Amino acid sequence: RQFKVPIADMGGVQEHIGRAAGQALIVRAGADLVAAIVDRHESPSVLSAVIKQQATDRGRAAFQDAMDVMAGSAICRGPSNVLAAGYSMNPVGITVEGANTLTRTLMIFGQGVTRSHPHLLPVLRALEAGDDAGGFARGTLAMAWHGLRNAGAAVGRALTRPRSKADLPAYYEAQLNQLAAGFAAVCDMTLVLGGALKREEMISGRMADCLSSIFLGYACLWWCEQQGDAEGLDRLMDYALTGLVHEAQQALVGVATNFPMRPVGWAMAAVTAKWAGPYPAPTDKQVQAASDVVTHPTDVFAAFCQDVYFSEDAGARLTMLRDWLPEAARAQRLEQALRRAKRAPTAEEQELLSRVEAARDRIVQVDAFDRLGVELADPAYVRPALRPYAAPAAKVAVALPGRGREAQSEA
């Protein structure tokens, strides 16, 4: 609480919690979908790279938001600090097993365009053969026709996509379908660079961003369908998918704006169809709604607690945060009712308020230790800051033999 108001109801805090909640849904959905694909004995090499890069990068953003919310309790190391270990570990995931910069700028789009394009591989094989002019011509014409169809689909879907969110899953599926067609069309156009494409790493990185956002959008739709009518899920899904379609479109716009062959860049701008209606970033109301979903005992909160380790010690901070959330919500509703009724709580009501206040006071405490480090091994050791103050030794001038100057010496 701050100023007698729960910090989860403050707009500045809601901004951090809402972003972290959206990242949690996106990463959870993407990881579960890739795991389901692997369970079917498939080897999604490109999607594995996508989820590795996106999960660790979005995890970093979520940790930063969590640090802002947890404040001092996130920097005072000790058993009550629930963030420090993960915050320290996250850079390891970012930099090993294929650093994220390498994964984003070279692997995701570089491998994906070769593996998934229906006509590129035959063209490459014709070039490797050296004497297959017919195969090269057929492949090139097929690529051109494929690109025209994708461009037409992108523009057509942009003009006909639904604008109403009455059916939330259908609305976002249509937006993702339009962005997927735009991505495919832009992908075809990037191939005019030939071998130089691999040196345009910023272009490749933006294409990877677009592909990742589209995949994660479909993953969120799939995951939310698996959860059924979970309380609060529609609000969190709306926030997360609004951000994903915005990110995907901005990535395509960035490719078109920075493409080195400007006439091709203008063509890209036409098929990205931003003129048909840009996708805005999430609004403040969507952020607040996403924050409320995970700061109240909803079905989404319970789903996020699955596959998370909680200590059996009821006094462990993470366990307390999980166990006391329903009680804190009850106490908050009770306080609001008491203020409206302008009456004092009954003995039973006061007992609930007191228990919640005691738990809240314990949760916000930071770890403190009487002795640390060397002090534990040497009981006689006194930290420099606690040692008795000793005045510095006085200095006197002393003449040095054979020299025309004086030196300072401690008395």
Side-chain angles (χ1 to χ4, degrees):
R1 284 175 174 271
Q2 191 72 30
F3 311 118
K4 297 183 179 180
V5 177
I7 61 171
D9 291 343
M10 296 181 172
V13 176
Q14 287 178 327
E15 189 173 4
H16 294 294
I17 296 177
R19 281 199 302 255
Q23 302 290 23
L25 172 61
I26 292 168
V27 172
R28 178 69 180 269
D32 284 0
L33 180 55
V34 171
I37 294 172
V38 173
D39 282 344
R40 294 172 64 91
H41 306 290
E42 298 185 30
S43 302
S45 58
V46 175
L47 295 184
S48 297
V50 167
I51 195 61
K52 184 270 179 187
Q53 184 263 329
Q54 288 287 313
T56 53
D57 195 62
R58 292 178 184 276
R60 170 169 52 188
F63 270 117
Q64 289 173 343
D65 281 316
M67 293 289 283
D68 280 308
V69 175
M70 299 297 287
S73 64
I75 60 174
C76 295
R77 299 298 295 267
S80 297
N81 191 326
V82 298
L83 288 180
Y87 186 82
S88 302
M89 179 193 68
N90 184 254
V92 178
I94 289 173
T95 55
V96 303
E97 297 298 334
N100 277 8
T101 299
L102 172 68
T103 303
R104 174 179 174 268
T105 57
L106 293 177
M107 294 178 62
I108 294 176
F109 181 65
Q111 288 187 10
V113 70
T114 304
R115 290 174 176 269
S116 62
H117 198 287
H119 307 295
L120 178 59
L121 193 57
V123 171
L124 294 177
R125 286 174 177 167
L127 290 172
E128 290 176 352
D131 57 355
D132 189 6
F136 177 78
R138 288 191 299 271
T140 303
L141 288 174
M143 287 179 62
W145 176 241
H146 182 261
L148 290 173
R149 283 191 304 169
N150 285 332
V155 175
R157 292 176 184 177
L159 294 174
T160 60
R161 64 185 174 88
R163 265 65 175 179
S164 171
K165 291 185 178 181
D167 185 346
L168 209 58
Y171 169 81
Y172 280 112
E173 184 176 5
Q175 315 312 312
L176 291 170
N177 289 342
Q178 185 268 319
L179 288 166
F183 171 81
V186 172
C187 177
D188 286 326
M189 296 182 193
T190 61
L191 297 178
V192 301
L193 292 178
L197 178 58
K198 64 183 179 182
R199 295 190 293 273
E200 294 291 341
E201 295 182 12
M202 293 186 184
I203 297 295
S204 181
R206 292 188 183 96
M207 293 296 289
D209 292 340
C210 181
L211 175 62
S212 300
S213 295
I214 292 172
F215 165 71
L216 292 172
Y218 283 119
C220 286
L221 290 176
W222 171 83
W223 192 84
C224 292
E225 183 181 5
Q226 306 301 309
Q227 303 303 310
D229 297 327
E231 178 190 1
L233 187 57
D234 55 341
R235 288 174 283 161
L236 186 56
M237 181 181 72
D238 183 36
Y239 168 76
L241 283 166
T242 298
L244 286 171
V245 296
H246 172 74
E247 292 170 10
Q249 186 179 64
Q250 291 305 304
L252 290 178
V253 171
V255 172
T257 302
N258 295 279
F259 200 72
M261 298 175 64
R262 294 310 306 141
V264 179
W266 298 331
M268 290 177 175
V271 301
T272 54
K274 186 177 180 180
W275 46 266
Y279 293 111
T283 64
D284 290 350
K285 288 185 178 180
Q286 287 176 304
V287 174
Q288 291 172 339
S291 175
D292 287 342
V293 169
V294 295
T295 54
H296 292 80
T298 61
D299 294 338
V300 175
F301 177 82
F304 282 170
C305 287
Q306 296 175 4
D307 302 324
V308 175
Y309 172 76
F310 291 94
S311 171
E312 295 182 359
D313 179 7
R317 174 164 293 174
L318 196 60
T319 303
M320 291 187 70
L321 286 170
R322 179 198 63 183
D323 294 345
W324 281 93
L325 181 62
E327 293 290 280
R330 282 182 55 206
Q332 184 179 358
R333 291 193 298 270
L334 173 59
E335 289 177 337
Q336 293 170 348
L338 292 175
R339 283 195 295 269
R340 287 193 298 269
K342 297 181 180 180
R343 67 174 180 84
T346 65
E348 183 180 352
E349 292 171 340
Q350 184 59 53
E351 193 271 337
L352 169 63
L353 296 176
S354 299
R355 285 192 296 109
V356 170
E357 185 61 32
R360 179 185 293 115
D361 182 68
R362 184 172 178 183
I363 288 172
V364 300
Q365 297 302 316
V366 299
D367 291 303
F369 305 94
D370 294 329
R371 307 183 71 81
L372 286 173
V374 178
E375 298 170 307
L376 297 175
D378 182 6
Y381 178 82
V382 179
R383 281 175 279 172
L386 300 179
R387 295 172 186 169
Y389 175 77
K395 296 183 178 181
V396 297
V398 179
L400 298 178
R403 300 185 183 182
R405 57 191 178 89
E406 296 181 340
Q408 296 289 329
S409 174
E410 291 186 357

